[in-house]
């Protein structure tokens, strides 16, 4: 916490402790200025500071310490905001804010709106009273966050929470009054209230604002009257509860009863438990209206109390990233979610309908495109992560838990594609399945096969692999074969493998088929049975292998007799022993599959990360939990996915973090059980290390921006013995992926409020390999001793939709918790080009040399090869310059429009349009489009702030044009360099040896060669993606300008010039 020194005078003294944030105490020439400066508001990790003026000695050094923190700003009994009038009432009463000056000095001032709603005032001040005010007519706009140079000043930027800052822009010169509120919700009240006043300057009386609320009031009156069947003007408690549940089923009965009691107790005339129409209306608004949603509505509405169709369209395009939205789409949303008939008829979405829309599946965080199979399923099996179950037959632990066909049914319904069958000799000459040599119960092999046949392809049509760990005698092995053939029929895939095959078949080719994974007799064997080595867990008990990176010698492995009938069922999944990666590369066939215990696989991953990834490009690898996990606990599957292992087997019956990651991973691609690996883990010539903490060649890092806004109806942790439902929740955000991407952050704790806690905190995460990353949101109770878990949601990075989203939290058994949601805002920006520009925006400016680490070439130490790659050095620099030019210009345009880096161009054009329309000189802006490229032509004297935006706009268009016109040529140069390098691939080993490279130097040369090939390919792809992005930017500009009235589409002027004019 910053050090504080107290002055000796009264905190209201005008000469008291004037300071800069650097600790200096300035005075003017006469020793007077002076407004008494303020101490900074306490951030979420500091104890409250004194209310008197204070001197901050080390403002720049203040950093967030993510430990237990408490917010007192969102207690459930504070600030009931249901409409614009509530905001105005609050502002008329006034509140203390911090005023920030351009010289970084800060002052506590008491701000309020005058009774006539004509001006904003503050006191105390050294200024004359008539100067300490801003008239409403002079106000141009209100901005949320740190959007001005004053608030972006590095001396104070880290002192205050982004969500607490806002600025009032006023006057013909667009001066700014920069303010800091005590909490995000207080800032929201001021921003919403001032926005309502500015947008309704011509009709700003309280009566006009109340008129805007009448539609909601009339609807509530109608539903109240319909419930009042006796027509007596009141509803009893039972009727009120039923009506409230009918209007909003998410509200708990206990909360309604509590609120009714409060209303009845506050009456002067009595405490009878009946509500009249006005009381019911107040009850509904207080319980249902969520201030954070209302503030969002006000930001985009042209009216304080509802969104028009145009407002909704702008919100969907600018915030939700829906680029193809039409007015008909917006009308359908209003018709579906607006509860009042009047609103539906007029095409108006009020706060209740807007809330319902944000809570609907239409605003789910998970991209609906990924709820169906959307990936290329024609790659070899080795190119996919495959949902795999360990000890599938168990419902509990592997020491004494029950075995059941139900476990197979559950796994298959979740999309599991690889099941384990531990087969043993059972009574009555029947094979059984159980965990051998333990107290687990037994289930018949035949019943398991019947269950698999019934549910195999209900959740997914792609192939199922049966991993048989065989402990049966020859006779019962033959019985197993008979059952499988009889039950599976044509589904059973038992075709002989093609000995000349160089890759595995694809999931598409094997659709609807069941494959057997087991040992196999030699192809030239004519015997009815033969000895084979025991693999998987069966070998682990007799293995006792040493802690090295090779398997033990042949004599240390137990063998068993395998029948030819069972052997013949094995086709593309033949189990073999793993020796080392060099032997596997030389001798292993593509249909041969190795199994690793988790500890052995981790040793390989740590010692040979590149080799493990390369091995898994061609061959399937199965990883299973260590035998010591008698409680059926799970290891972290992400460690194995980072190595490219496909069959990462977990105990499906054991919930918790690891299964949360697993469920999140395989929720994508339609939950079909197959998820394609990143290209860098599939391409034959590509360098990737599972342990990398550096950039990925050819893959630009992305920045994930998460704003955790609020929660809703968090239950107590399971097993809590405390009475009531009070919790002290906080949110933990975790990123899982390659080591460079792993991170976590937490919000403040909101005390005693699990019903509607407000967090309103923002976080940033750099993600270097998005295709492997998982994002996990966890809600925990800070005041609970023991298991503090409340709920969680895990989602693949690539499946997240941007914009305002509600997350439905899941329990520790992956079931949806009723009515329990987390409200967030998501933005994804690219640090160096690429990405989904229409949805995800573009980058934040960073250190330029650091940004280009992922697109530089490495020397191999072989002159011929290095000379070949030199031809691509200039092309790589040109490609990076083209992309950086666009990104820097885009960032500059956003800044001139006072928008955050996460904003898109539609939001910028909207701000520009607003400034033009509110300028004193009634600026006339003509947007012309010549040869397909827009530019702004000005016909009037416009303020400097608009001039800067026009200049930045022209620079952005020029950079986009430069990239589009040169991208194809530069891309071809990159591909030519890549092709020239690939032509030397077959001779690479020989050239390296001729250059005298051996051992580690030889491996390093190979890695550098693969790196260079990947960089050239990746940068060529990124440049073409950037070309498409530029086209998307132009589309955004045109669509937003037309929507805001800046352009008139399809107007011809002087032949090839499209003129779109507004004034």
């Amino acid at each position: 916490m910053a050090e504080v020194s107290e002055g000796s005078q009264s905190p209201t003294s005008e000469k008291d402790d004037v300071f800069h944030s650097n600790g200096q105490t300035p005075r003017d020439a006469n020793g007077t200025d002076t407004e008494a400066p303020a101490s900074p508001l306490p951030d979420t990790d500091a104890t409250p500071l004194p209310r008197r003026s204070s001197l901050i000695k080390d403002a720049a050094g203040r950093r967030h310490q993510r430990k237990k923190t408490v917010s007192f700003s969102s207690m459930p009994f504070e600030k009931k905001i249901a409409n614009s009038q509530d905001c105005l009432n609050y502002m008329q009463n006034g509140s203390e804010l911090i005023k920030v000056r351009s010289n970084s000095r800060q002052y506590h001032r008491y701000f309020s709106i005058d009774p006539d709603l004509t001006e904003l005032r503050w006191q105390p001040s050294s200024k004359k009273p008539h100067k300490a005010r801003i008239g409403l007519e002079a106000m141009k706009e209100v901005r949320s966050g740190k959007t001005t140079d004053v608030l972006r000043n590095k001396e104070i930027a880290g002192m205050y929470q982004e969500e607490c800052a806002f600025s009032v822009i006023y006057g013909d010169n667009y001066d700014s009054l920069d303010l800091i509120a005590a909490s995000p919700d207080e800032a929201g009240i001021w921003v919403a209230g001032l926005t309502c006043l500015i947008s309704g300057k011509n009709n700003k009386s309280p009566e006009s604002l109340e008129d805007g609320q009448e539609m909601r009031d009339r609807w509530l009156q109608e539903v109240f009257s319909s419930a009042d069947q006796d027509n007596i003007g009141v509803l009893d408690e039972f009727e009120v509860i039923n009506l409230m549940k009918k209007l909003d089923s998410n509200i708990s009965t206990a909360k309604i009863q509590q609120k009714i009691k409060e209303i009845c107790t506050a009456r002067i005339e009595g405490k009878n438990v009946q509500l009249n129409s006005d009381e019911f209306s107040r009850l509904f608004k207080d319980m249902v209206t969520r201030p954070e949603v209302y503030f969002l509505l006000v930001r985009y509405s042209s009216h304080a109390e509802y969104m028009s169709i145009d407002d909704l369209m702008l919100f969907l395009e600018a915030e939700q990233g829906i680029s193809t939205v039409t007015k008909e789409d917006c009308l359908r949303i209003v018709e579906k979610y607006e509860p009042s008939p009047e609103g539906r008829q007029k095409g108006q979405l009020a706060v209740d309908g807007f809330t319902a829309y944000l809570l609907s599946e239409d605003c789910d965080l998970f991209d609906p495109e990924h709820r169906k199979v959307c990936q290329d399923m024609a790659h070899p099996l080795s190119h996919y992560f495959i949902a795999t179950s360990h000890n599938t037959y168990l419902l509990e632990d592997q020491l004494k838990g029950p075995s059941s066909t139900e476990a197979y049914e559950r796994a298959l319904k979740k999309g599991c594609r690889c099941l384990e069958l531990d087969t043993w000799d059972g009574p009555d000459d029947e094979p059984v399945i159980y965990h051998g040599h333990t107290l687990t119960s037994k289930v018949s092999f035949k019943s398991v096969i019947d269950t698999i046949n019934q549910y195999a392809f209900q959740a997914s049509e792609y192939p199922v692999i049966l991993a048989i760990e065989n402990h049966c005698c020859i006779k019962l092995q033959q019985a197993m074969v008979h059952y499988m053939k009889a039950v599976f029929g044509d589904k059973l895939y038992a075709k002989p493998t093609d000995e000349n095959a160089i890759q595995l078949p694809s999931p598409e080719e094997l659709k609807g088929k069941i494959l057997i994974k087991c040992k196999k007799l030699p192809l030239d064997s004519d015997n009815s049975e033969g000895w084979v080595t025991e693999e998987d867990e069966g070998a682990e008990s007799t293995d006792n292998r040493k802690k090295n990176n090779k398997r033990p010698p042949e004599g240390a492995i137990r063998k068993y007799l395998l029948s030819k009938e069972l052997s013949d069922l094995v086709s593309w999944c033949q189990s073999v022993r793993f020796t080392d990666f060099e032997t596997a590369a030389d001798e292993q066939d593509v249909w041969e599959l190795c199994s690793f215990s988790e500890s052995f696989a981790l040793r390989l991953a740590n010692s040979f990360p590149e080799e493990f990834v390369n091995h898994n490009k061609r061959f399937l690898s199965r990883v299973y939990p260590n035998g010591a996990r008698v409680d059926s606990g799970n290891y972290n599957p992400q460690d194995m996915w980072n190595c490219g292992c496909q069959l990462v087997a977990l105990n499906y019956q054991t919930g918790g973090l690891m299964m949360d990651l697993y469920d999140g991973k395989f929720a994508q691609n339609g939950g079909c059980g197959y998820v394609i690996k990143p290209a860098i883990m599939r391409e034959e010539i590509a360098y990737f290390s599972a342990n990398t903490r550096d950039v990925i060649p050819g893959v630009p890092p992305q920045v994930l921006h998460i704003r955790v806004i609020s929660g809703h109806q968090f239950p107590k942790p399971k097993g809590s013995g405390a009475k009531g439902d009070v919790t002290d929740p906080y949110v933990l955000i975790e990123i899982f992926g390659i080591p460079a991407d792993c991170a976590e952050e937490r919000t403040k704790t909101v005390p005693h409020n699990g019903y509607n806690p407000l967090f309103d905190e923002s976080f940033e995460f750099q993600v270097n390999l998005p295709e492997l990353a998982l994002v996990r949101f966890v809600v925990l109770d800070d005041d609970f001793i023991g298991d503090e878990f409340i709920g969680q949601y895990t989602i693949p990075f690539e499946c997240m939709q941007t914009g305002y989203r509600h997350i439905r939290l899941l329990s520790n058994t992956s079931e949806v918790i009723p009515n329990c949601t987390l409200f967030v805002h998501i933005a994804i920006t690219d640090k160096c080009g690429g990405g989904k520009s229409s949805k995800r925006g573009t980058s934040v400016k960073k250190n330029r040399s650091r940004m280009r680490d992922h697109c530089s070439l490495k020397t191999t130490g072989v002159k011929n090869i290095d000379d070949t790659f030199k031809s691509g050095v200039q092309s790589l620099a040109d490609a990076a310059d083209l992309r950086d030019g666009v990104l820097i210009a885009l960032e500059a345009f956003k800044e001139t429009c006072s928008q955050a880096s996460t904003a898109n161009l539609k939001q910028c054009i909207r701000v520009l349009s607003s400034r033009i329309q509110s300028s004193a000189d009634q600026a006339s802006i003509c947007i012309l489009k010549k040869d397909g490229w827009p530019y702004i032509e000005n016909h009037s004297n416009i303020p400097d702030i608009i001039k800067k935006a026009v200049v930045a706009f022209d620079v952005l268009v020029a950079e986009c044009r430069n990239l589009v016109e040169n991208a194809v040529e530069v891309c071809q140069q990159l591909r030519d360099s890549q092709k020239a390098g690939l032509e030397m691939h077959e001779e690479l080993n020989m050239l390296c040896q001729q250059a005298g490279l051996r051992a580690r130097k030889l491996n390093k040369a190979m890695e550098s060669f693969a790196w260079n090939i990947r960089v050239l390919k990746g940068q060529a792809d990124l440049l073409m993606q950037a070309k498409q992005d530029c086209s998307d930017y132009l589309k955004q500009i045109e669509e937003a300008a037309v929507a805001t009235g800046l352009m008139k589409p399809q107007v011809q002027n002087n032949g090839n010039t499209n003129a779109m004019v507004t004034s």
Side-chain angles (χ1 to χ4, degrees):
M1 186 179 73
E3 295 183 21
V4 176
S5 65
E6 297 185 3
S8 59
Q9 301 181 36
S10 163
T12 60
S13 169
E14 296 298 332
K15 297 182 181 180
D16 171 37
D17 294 333
V18 183
F19 70 100
H20 282 288
S21 60
N22 60 10
Q24 297 177 350
T25 305
R27 305 283 184 183
D28 64 12
N30 300 319
T32 60
D33 164 331
T34 72
E35 297 188 79
S39 63
L41 294 173
D43 63 12
T44 56
D45 9 300
T47 56
L49 298 178
R51 296 292 293 178
R52 63 186 296 115
S53 300
S54 305
L55 174 64
I56 301 179
K57 294 184 178 179
D58 187 21
R62 302 182 81 223
R63 310 291 294 178
H64 280 285
Q65 302 296 322
R66 287 289 161 194
K67 298 178 181 178
K68 178 174 179 178
T69 56
V70 179
S71 165
F72 297 96
S73 67
S74 53
M75 300 294 283
F77 51 80
E78 289 185 356
K79 306 184 196 76
K80 297 296 184 183
I81 302 298
N83 49 47
S84 58
Q85 190 59 54
D86 292 338
C87 294
L88 297 181
N89 291 340
Y90 181 86
M91 294 191 301
Q92 285 177 318
N93 290 330
S95 68
E96 187 175 275
L97 304 173
I98 287 181
K99 179 184 175 187
V100 184
R101 296 284 295 274
S102 58
N103 53 14
S104 301
R105 288 182 292 180
Q106 304 135 63
Y107 310 89
H108 278 302
R109 292 290 172 261
Y110 197 86
F111 285 79
S112 63
I113 296 290
D114 75 307
D116 297 330
L117 304 179
T118 58
E119 59 187 19
L120 172 66
R121 303 171 176 176
W122 60 92
Q123 59 180 344
S125 173
S126 63
K127 295 181 178 179
K128 295 180 180 180
H130 71 276
K131 292 185 177 181
R133 63 187 65 192
I134 299 174
L136 177 65
E137 295 297 331
M139 295 183 190
K140 303 293 185 181
E141 57 186 283
V142 184
R143 303 176 188 168
S144 297
K146 301 172 185 176
T147 60
T148 65
D149 292 339
V150 172
L151 292 177
R152 286 173 177 157
N153 188 309
K154 63 181 181 180
E155 293 184 359
I156 63 170
M159 294 170 61
Y160 304 110
Q161 190 177 338
E162 175 85 18
E163 293 76 17
C164 293
F166 66 100
S167 302
V168 179
I169 310 302
Y170 65 96
D172 295 339
N173 295 323
Y174 285 77
D175 297 318
S176 68
L177 173 65
D178 300 296
L179 303 170
I180 307 292
S183 64
D185 44 336
E186 184 177 50
I189 292 172
W190 279 97
V191 171
L194 290 171
T195 300
C196 291
L197 290 176
I198 293 173
S199 62
K201 287 179 184 178
N202 297 326
N203 194 10
K204 58 184 179 296
S205 66
E207 293 77 15
S208 66
L209 291 169
E210 289 175 2
D211 290 342
Q213 302 163 26
E214 287 184 356
M215 183 176 75
R216 191 185 193 193
D217 291 336
R218 283 192 291 270
W219 167 63
L220 290 173
Q221 177 62 52
E222 289 171 5
V223 297
F224 181 89
S225 298
S226 64
D228 181 18
Q229 297 179 356
D230 296 332
N231 199 26
I232 58 176
V234 293
L235 298 178
D236 62 27
E237 182 180 32
F238 178 77
E239 291 172 320
V240 170
I241 291 172
N242 283 344
L243 182 55
M244 286 291 291
K245 300 286 276 187
K246 179 181 178 181
L247 297 178
D248 189 340
S249 60
N250 295 332
I251 305 177
S252 69
T253 300
K255 291 291 182 182
I256 301 173
Q257 290 173 326
Q258 178 185 348
K259 189 64 180 176
I260 292 173
K261 184 177 180 181
E262 291 175 7
I263 292 174
C264 294
T265 303
R267 288 191 187 130
I268 299 175
E269 67 276 9
K271 300 182 180 180
N272 59 307
V273 188
Q274 290 181 323
L275 301 186
N276 60 33
S277 177
D278 291 340
E279 290 171 332
F280 172 77
S281 179
R282 188 167 83 245
L283 168 72
F284 178 85
K285 291 177 181 179
D286 285 351
M287 295 201 69
V288 173
T289 306
R290 294 171 54 182
E292 69 274 21
V293 175
Y294 174 71
F295 297 154
L296 178 60
L297 179 142
V298 170
R299 278 182 55 196
Y300 279 89
S301 67
S302 52
H303 192 285
E305 301 302 328
Y306 58 80
M307 281 185 174
S308 66
I309 294 300
D310 290 336
D311 296 335
L312 180 57
M313 181 181 292
L314 185 61
F315 171 76
L316 296 177
E317 290 178 336
E319 288 291 357
Q320 303 302 86
I322 306 176
S323 58
T324 58
V325 66
T326 64
K327 289 193 175 183
E328 289 71 24
D329 295 329
C330 295
L331 282 169
R332 280 193 289 270
I333 289 174
V334 173
E335 184 66 29
K336 183 176 181 180
Y337 297 108
E338 173 54 40
S340 71
E342 182 181 351
R344 294 195 297 269
Q345 182 180 1
K346 293 180 178 180
Q348 297 171 352
L349 190 67
V351 66
D352 300 309
F354 189 48
T355 303
Y357 169 67
L358 290 175
L359 281 167
S360 71
E361 289 188 0
D362 291 343
C363 289
D364 195 82
L365 180 62
F366 197 95
D367 189 339
E369 287 297 313
H370 291 272
R371 295 199 184 279
K372 57 187 178 183
V373 176
C374 56
Q375 298 176 354
D376 184 358
M377 303 302 288
H379 287 266
L381 286 174
S382 57
H383 287 183
Y384 297 86
F385 299 116
I386 304 172
T388 304
S389 168
H390 175 253
N391 288 349
T392 312
Y393 46 88
L394 290 176
L395 291 173
E396 296 175 11
D397 66 81
Q398 64 187 46
L399 192 61
K400 52 184 176 54
S403 304
S404 172
T405 58
E406 181 185 349
Y408 287 92
E409 178 184 340
R410 289 180 185 176
L412 288 168
K413 285 182 175 179
K414 288 183 72 171
C416 182
R417 297 292 86 188
C418 182
L419 311 172
E420 184 176 8
L421 293 80
D422 266 356
T423 61
W424 298 80
D425 294 342
D428 304 323
D429 286 337
E430 287 290 331
V432 295
I433 294 176
Y434 81 111
H435 199 260
H437 310 300
T438 66
L439 300 177
T440 59
S441 64
K442 301 177 176 64
V443 60
S444 74
F445 180 85
K446 172 66 165 58
S447 63
V448 168
I449 295 303
D450 288 333
T451 301
I452 292 173
N453 185 59
Q454 182 179 354
Y455 295 101
F457 302 106
Q458 282 192 6
S460 170
E461 59 185 345
Y462 293 100
V464 171
I465 300 171
L466 302 185
I468 297 179
E469 189 175 316
N470 178 30
H471 303 279
C472 289
C473 64
I474 293 296
K475 180 180 179 181
L476 293 194
Q477 290 180 40
Q478 293 168 343
M480 289 161 51
V481 172
H482 169 73
Y483 289 141
M484 288 190 285
K485 286 183 175 179
V487 174
F488 294 149
D490 293 338
K491 298 175 187 174
L492 187 62
Y493 188 96
K495 296 179 182 178
T497 53
D498 180 2
E499 294 185 29
N500 298 317
I502 58 173
Q503 66 179 27
L504 290 164
S506 69
E508 187 68 30
E509 293 175 273
L510 296 173
K511 244 195 235 184
K513 297 298 182 181
I514 296 175
L515 282 67
I516 305 300
K517 172 200 167 294
C518 193
K519 295 294 293 185
K520 190 173 179 68
L521 297 175
L523 294 177
D524 56 357
S525 174
D526 294 328
N527 298 325
S528 60
E529 59 190 49
W531 290 96
V532 293
T533 58
E534 190 167 18
E535 304 296 338
D536 302 347
E537 294 100 316
E540 194 173 76
S541 59
T542 57
D543 190 344
N544 295 323
R545 57 179 74 101
K546 298 178 182 179
K547 289 188 176 181
N548 55 36
N549 298 317
K550 289 190 177 184
R551 291 292 176 121
E554 189 74 26
I557 297 296
R558 190 171 62 188
K559 295 185 178 183
Y560 70 93
L561 276 174
L562 176 68
S563 72
K564 190 174 189 325
E565 290 90 340
L566 182 56
S567 173
D568 289 345
L569 294 186
V570 179
S571 181
W572 292 108
C573 298
Q574 177 183 344
S575 297
V576 297
R577 289 179 62 232
F578 175 80
T579 305
D580 55 54
F581 290 119
E582 185 177 355
T583 303
D586 294 337
E587 300 178 7
Q588 188 170 330
D589 291 312
V590 293
W591 57 81
E592 293 178 331
L593 181 159
C594 296
S595 292
F596 310 90
S597 69
E598 60 170 288
S599 55
F600 185 63
L602 282 172
R603 290 202 297 275
L604 292 175
N606 290 328
S607 301
F608 306 100
E610 298 91 347
E611 291 86 343
F612 209 171
V613 172
N614 287 331
H615 174 86
N616 288 322
K617 291 177 182 179
R618 293 184 60 207
F619 310 112
L620 290 176
S621 293
R622 178 176 177 268
V623 182
Y624 56 88
N626 284 338
R629 293 183 179 272
V630 293
D631 62 348
S632 292
N634 285 314
Y635 56 93
N636 188 346
Q638 188 70 53
D639 296 332
M640 299 298 100
W641 291 329
N642 290 346
C643 299
C645 296
Q646 303 86 354
L647 302 165
V648 180
L650 292 195
N651 293 297
Y652 270 48
Q653 73 275 22
T654 306
L657 168 61
M658 304 315 169
M659 274 309 298
D660 292 342
L661 299 180
Y662 215 81
D663 291 341
K665 181 77 170 180
F666 289 102
Q668 60 186 310
N669 202 27
C672 73
Y674 287 84
V675 173
I676 197 164
K677 294 196 281 190
I680 198 169
M681 302 178 75
R682 293 183 273 117
E683 295 169 353
E684 181 181 357
I685 305 175
Y687 172 80
F688 176 73
S689 169
N691 293 336
T692 184
R693 294 186 177 274
D694 205 349
V695 292
I696 308 300
V699 180
Q702 293 192 309
V703 180
L704 172 62
H705 309 261
I706 299 177
R707 178 185 170 199
V708 181
I709 302 172
S710 62
H712 199 56
Q713 297 199 37
F714 295 157
K716 284 292 289 183
K718 188 176 181 181
S720 172
K723 294 182 179 180
D725 56 357
V726 176
T727 59
D728 294 347
Y730 68 96
V731 180
L732 181 69
I733 304 171
E734 300 171 300
I735 309 295
F736 294 85
I738 60 174
D741 293 343
C742 293
E744 71 174 44
E745 291 282 2
R746 60 155 290 174
T747 68
K748 65 201 173 195
T749 297
V750 178
H752 315 311
N753 186 6
Y755 183 71
N756 56 354
L758 181 70
F759 302 100
D760 220 335
E761 289 190 75
S762 299
F763 307 96
E764 285 188 9
F765 303 91
Q766 178 172 315
V767 181
N768 295 281
L769 189 54
E771 292 170 282
L772 267 188
L774 293 168
V775 183
R776 186 171 186 253
F777 299 85
V778 195
V779 179
L780 302 165
D781 186 356
D782 215 349
D783 195 41
F784 183 62
I785 299 174
D787 185 3
E788 58 180 355
F789 177 86
I790 292 176
Q792 69 85 32
Y793 185 78
T794 306
I795 183 172
F797 181 95
E798 292 286 292
C799 294
M800 287 194 297
Q801 295 196 98
T802 55
Y804 288 92
R805 306 289 169 183
H806 271 92
I807 300 171
R808 288 171 177 78
L809 296 178
L810 307 178
S811 68
N812 56 2
T813 57
S814 298
E815 297 174 347
V816 175
I817 304 173
N819 307 322
C820 181
T821 59
L822 193 64
F823 188 34
V824 300
H825 180 268
I826 303 294
I828 300 173
T829 58
D830 305 331
K831 286 191 67 175
C832 210
K836 301 180 182 178
S837 60
S838 61
K839 292 176 63 176
R840 303 191 170 203
T842 51
S843 75
V844 183
K845 287 187 288 186
K846 299 290 180 183
N847 181 287
R848 203 157 172 177
S849 62
R850 185 89 186 263
M851 288 169 66
R852 296 193 175 184
D853 286 348
H854 66 278
C855 57
S856 59
L857 297 177
K858 296 183 178 182
T859 58
T860 63
V862 180
K863 186 176 186 304
N864 290 348
I865 298 175
D866 291 338
D867 289 344
T868 300
F869 282 127
K870 280 183 181 178
S871 63
V873 172
Q874 185 58 48
S875 300
L876 284 171
D878 292 342
D881 286 341
L882 289 172
R883 293 198 319 277
D884 287 352
V886 172
L887 294 175
I888 292 171
L890 184 60
E891 185 67 19
F893 182 53
K894 289 179 182 180
E895 286 188 4
T896 61
C897 294
S898 306
Q899 294 296 297
S901 60
T902 55
N904 60 33
L905 282 174
K906 290 186 177 182
Q907 292 165 303
C908 296
I909 296 298
R910 179 194 180 206
V911 170
L912 181 59
S913 172
S914 174
R915 289 177 181 173
I916 292 170
Q917 293 169 7
S918 64
S919 63
D921 297 329
Q922 291 294 307
S924 177
I925 294 294
C926 178
I927 296 184
L928 302 177
K929 191 177 178 187
K930 187 173 183 179
D931 299 328
W933 297 95
Y935 67 97
I936 297 178
E937 187 172 278
N938 175 37
H939 295 292
S940 63
N941 184 26
I942 56 177
D944 287 343
I945 192 171
I946 299 180
K947 286 180 182 177
K948 290 179 181 178
V950 169
V951 171
F953 177 87
D954 289 339
V955 171
L956 173 60
V957 172
E959 291 292 347
C960 286
R961 184 169 189 170
N962 184 38
L963 187 148
V964 170
E965 291 177 348
N966 292 284
V968 173
E969 180 183 354
V970 175
C971 180
Q972 188 57 51
Q973 293 170 359
L974 291 170
R975 297 198 190 283
D976 289 344
S977 297
Q978 179 200 6
K979 182 179 179 182
L982 286 173
E983 289 174 352
M984 309 185 76
H985 180 243
E986 292 186 1
E987 302 175 353
L988 178 61
N989 193 54
M990 179 189 70
L991 291 172
C992 289
Q993 291 183 2
Q994 289 177 352
L997 302 182
R998 300 288 187 274
R1000 182 176 296 180
K1001 289 185 177 180
L1002 176 61
N1003 290 334
K1004 190 65 177 177
M1006 297 284 193
E1007 291 173 4
S1008 297
F1009 181 87
W1011 172 284
N1012 293 344
I1013 292 296
R1014 176 63 196 177
V1015 164
L1016 291 167
K1017 180 183 184 303
Q1019 295 306 306
D1021 292 343
L1022 287 174
L1023 186 57
M1024 295 311 293
Q1025 178 61 53
K1027 180 174 179 289
Q1028 179 60 47
D1029 291 346
C1030 289
S1031 299
D1032 291 341
Y1033 297 155
L1034 298 179
K1035 184 179 179 182
Q1036 286 184 46
I1037 290 170
E1038 291 193 30
E1039 289 178 350
V1042 170
T1044 56
L1046 273 179
M1047 295 184 181
K1048 296 179 182 178
Q1050 299 179 349
V1051 178
Q1052 297 298 317
N1053 182 32
N1054 297 331
N1056 63 348
T1057 302
N1058 295 334
M1060 305 171 212
V1061 186
T1062 186
S1063 62

